[in-house]
Structure formats: structure tokens, C-alpha cells
């Protein structure tokens, strides 16, 4: 199927060196819409939804943001650190709005699961259901998220 102009634009934005030097697709050769559909099915199987994940990621992000670049322990179980990076980034989905750069490192101290994400990840999960391609630096795997964040 042929891509529409807007789909072409999004596809290009997701490639390395456009909006982010690493891009958002990793070594994933699938179309972004296929990546989104595949993760949506995965979420259904796991009985969780993108909004719930985004809310949880935001909750940890807000708590860590207050900690001024040192790690904090939340609910006696999660270690979270917000690393500030100067600047803002736009959403690759040809969408208005700017997102803080920065990255959040997270560790579930009970099961050892480590996850890292950016404020843009939260937006892309919430609004676009996009968890990034396989092999992408900030790919968030739904199963790992489900096991780690709760
Ligand atoms: Zn967006």
C-alpha cells in the first residue's frame, strides 16, 4: 500500500538524524503503523493499555524530576533517576508540541528490571501508541514495562 504524504513525513521523521540522531526505529524494518498495531495486540494480551502505562511513566518521571539529578526510592521498591539534558525535541508524528530532552532511569528493586525512557516516549505512548522499533535505544517492551512498573 502506498504511503500518504503525512505517513511519508512521519516515516522520515522516525529515521536517524532527523529529529533524533539515533532515530526511533532501531533495526526494525516494519512500517511504523505495523509496529504500533503489533504492540497494540501485545497490550491487549497483557490486559493493559497505553494510557495506563503513560500515566505510570509520568508518575515516576514527576517524582524523579523533583530529585534534582540524584536517584530516589519510591514506594520502597523503585529506584528512579531523572537526568536532565538541555533542550527540547519535537514529536516525530508531525504533531505540534515540544518535549523535554532528559532521560529517566528506572530500576525495580524487587525483580531487578531496568527501564529507561524520555518524556517524548511518554507522549508517543499516550497519544500514538508508539513504543519504538526493535533495537531502538528507547524501545519500551510492553511485557517488560508491565513486569517492571508495578
Ligand atoms: Zn505527537
Amino acid at each position: 500500500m502506498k504511503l500518504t504524504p503525512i505517513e511519508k513525513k512521519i516515516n522520515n521523521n522516525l529515521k536517524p538524524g532527523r529529529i533524533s540522531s539515533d532515530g526511533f526505529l532501531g533495526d526494525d524494518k516494519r512500517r511504523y503503523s505495523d509496529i504500533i498495531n503489533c504492540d497494540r495486540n501485545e497490550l491487549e494480551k497483557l490486559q493493559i493499555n497505553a494510557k495506563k502505562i503513560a500515566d505510570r511513566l509520568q508518575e515516576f518521571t514527576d517524582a524523579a524530576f523533583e530529585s534534582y539529578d540524584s536517584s530516589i526510592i519510591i514506594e520502597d521498591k523503585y529506584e528512579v533517576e531523572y537526568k536532565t539534558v538541555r533542550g527540547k525535541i519535537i514529536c516525530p508524528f508531525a504533531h505540534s508540541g515540544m518535549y523535554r530532552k532528559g532521560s529517566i532511569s528506572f530500576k525495580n528493586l524487587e525483580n531487578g528490571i531496568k527501564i529507561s525512557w524520555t518524556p517524548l516516549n511518554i507522549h508517543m505512548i499516550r497519544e500514538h501508541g508508539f513504543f519504538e522499533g526493535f533495537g531502538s535505544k528507547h524501545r519500551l517492551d510492553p511485557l517488560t514495562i508491565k513486569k517492571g512498573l508495578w
Side-chain angles (χ1 to χ4, degrees):
M1 224 168 58
K2 253 190 101 189
L3 295 179
T4 65
I6 182 81
E7 287 170 332
K8 259 187 208 159
K9 186 175 178 190
I10 295 171
N11 241 357
N12 281 331
N13 285 346
L14 292 169
K15 290 177 183 163
R18 305 280 178 142
I19 288 177
S20 120
S21 56
D22 297 313
F24 301 90
L25 298 171
D27 45 24
D28 206 320
K29 300 288 177 234
R30 294 173 297 167
R31 272 187 191 183
Y32 73 87
S33 51
D34 293 334
I35 296 174
I36 290 171
N37 288 333
C38 183
D39 283 327
R40 189 187 297 129
N41 291 337
E42 188 65 25
L43 295 178
E44 265 174 39
K45 268 190 240 156
L46 296 171
Q47 296 182 303
I48 192 163
N49 64 57
K51 182 187 178 294
K52 198 173 163 195
I53 291 172
D55 286 347
R56 188 68 167 156
L57 292 171
Q58 191 64 54
E59 197 182 315
F60 287 123
T61 302
D62 292 343
F65 189 67
E66 302 294 326
S67 73
Y68 299 100
D69 287 306
S70 58
S71 70
I72 53 163
I73 307 287
I74 298 168
E75 296 169 20
D76 296 329
K77 181 173 168 186
Y78 312 101
E79 185 177 12
V80 192
E81 183 174 358
Y82 190 113
K83 290 193 187 78
T84 309
V85 179
R86 281 174 64 97
K88 294 202 169 176
I89 188 165
I90 61 166
C91 174
F93 288 82
H95 191 245
S96 62
M98 303 277 277
Y99 301 88
R100 275 202 186 97
K101 279 190 165 172
S103 75
I104 297 93
S105 337
F106 170 97
K107 186 178 179 188
N108 181 318
L109 301 171
E110 273 178 10
N111 59 23
I113 289 179
K114 288 183 184 176
I115 305 170
S116 77
W117 66 86
T118 69
L120 181 60
N121 275 125
I122 301 175
H123 166 77
M124 292 195 297
I125 289 172
R126 186 188 304 282
E127 301 294 334
H128 309 291
F130 184 61
F131 291 73
E132 305 200 8
F134 293 138
S136 178
K137 189 176 170 192
H138 292 291
R139 158 85 186 159
L140 291 169
D141 171 59
L143 177 60
T144 308
I145 291 179
K146 189 184 175 181
K147 286 185 180 165
L149 297 184
W150 283 275

